[in-house]
Amino acid sequence: MSNQQWNPQWGQQPQQQGWGGQSPQQPKKSNAGKAIGFGCLGVIALLFIVGGIGAVASGGDDGDKGASSVSEPAAGAPEEEPKDDAPAKAKGPDGPEGDVKITACEVDSVTKWPSASLDVTNRSSKDSNYIVQVEFVDKDGTRLGEGTAALNNLAPDQVSKEKAQGLTQVSGKVECRVTKVTRYAS
């Protein structure tokens, strides 16, 4: 082995030899760090999504937090007026369900996921939060999946365009039905 320096003009660099005339092995690069990093990032994102949905969902269902939802009282419970001071037109059988209108129902051609486009109109007298649950059914009425839309701080008489997205692949045409609407004062 000589002590000469390699010159790029000479062509290919000569192979250096290690002990016993063998070429030294280069350490292999590992992608384990990337895999662990992306895995952790995915877990964190999933926790944020689940936590956000849980926070929105529990906000309208827990009567101890001052939230108001127009729904049937439990058996034996005293009847009381809704706490959101909704005008008379929003009370009654249609309640907050009357605030939601399905404007389109379709299945995405690529993902095969169903979705419902919604117009939500706050007919109460206070800023309100909404959780809208939609089911997707086939022509026979068989439930194929469900989707949810949530929105916050909708002002009185304000309209919001929302989408309830299903995450179950379906084939063929579907019908969209609103199954539950929870409205409570912001």
Side-chain angles (χ1 to χ4, degrees):
M1 186 153 185
S2 73
N3 290 336
Q4 289 183 340
Q5 293 289 330
W6 173 72
N7 185 342
Q9 296 173 346
W10 295 346
Q12 186 175 2
Q13 182 176 4
Q15 292 290 328
Q16 294 184 2
Q17 294 184 350
W19 295 99
Q22 296 177 358
S23 297
Q25 291 198 3
Q26 297 292 327
K28 293 183 180 180
K29 292 185 179 181
S30 171
N31 288 331
K34 288 181 186 177
I36 292 171
F38 283 123
C40 290
L41 184 62
V43 169
I44 291 170
L46 182 62
L47 289 174
F48 274 112
I49 291 169
V50 170
I53 291 172
V56 170
S58 67
D61 294 333
D62 190 356
D64 295 335
K65 293 184 180 178
S68 174
S69 174
V70 180
S71 62
E72 292 295 319
E79 290 189 27
E80 61 182 11
E81 290 295 313
K83 297 176 186 172
D84 65 358
D85 296 326
K89 67 179 181 176
K91 296 177 185 174
D94 63 343
E97 287 80 9
D99 293 0
V100 179
K101 177 183 175 189
I102 296 175
T103 59
C105 183
E106 58 193 14
V107 176
D108 186 272
S109 62
V110 176
T111 63
K112 304 294 185 202
W113 289 349
S115 66
S117 297
L118 310 170
D119 280 352
V120 181
T121 305
N122 182 359
R123 299 181 306 145
S124 74
S125 62
K126 293 186 176 182
D127 289 2
S128 296
N129 302 330
Y130 286 84
I131 301 170
V132 181
Q133 296 173 333
V134 175
E135 71 177 354
F136 306 104
V137 298
D138 66 11
K139 63 181 178 175
D140 298 323
T142 303
R143 186 176 183 161
L144 303 172
E146 64 278 332
T148 302
L151 59 145
N152 294 317
N153 302 319
L154 192 63
D157 296 321
Q158 185 179 16
V159 178
S160 179
K161 297 193 177 295
E162 300 294 327
K163 183 178 262 191
Q165 181 69 58
L167 299 176
T168 303
Q169 289 187 335
V170 299
S171 59
K173 293 186 178 192
V174 297
E175 181 181 325
C176 300
R177 297 179 186 165
V178 174
T179 55
K180 183 176 180 184
V181 178
T182 304
R183 177 185 68 210
Y184 53 97
S186 299

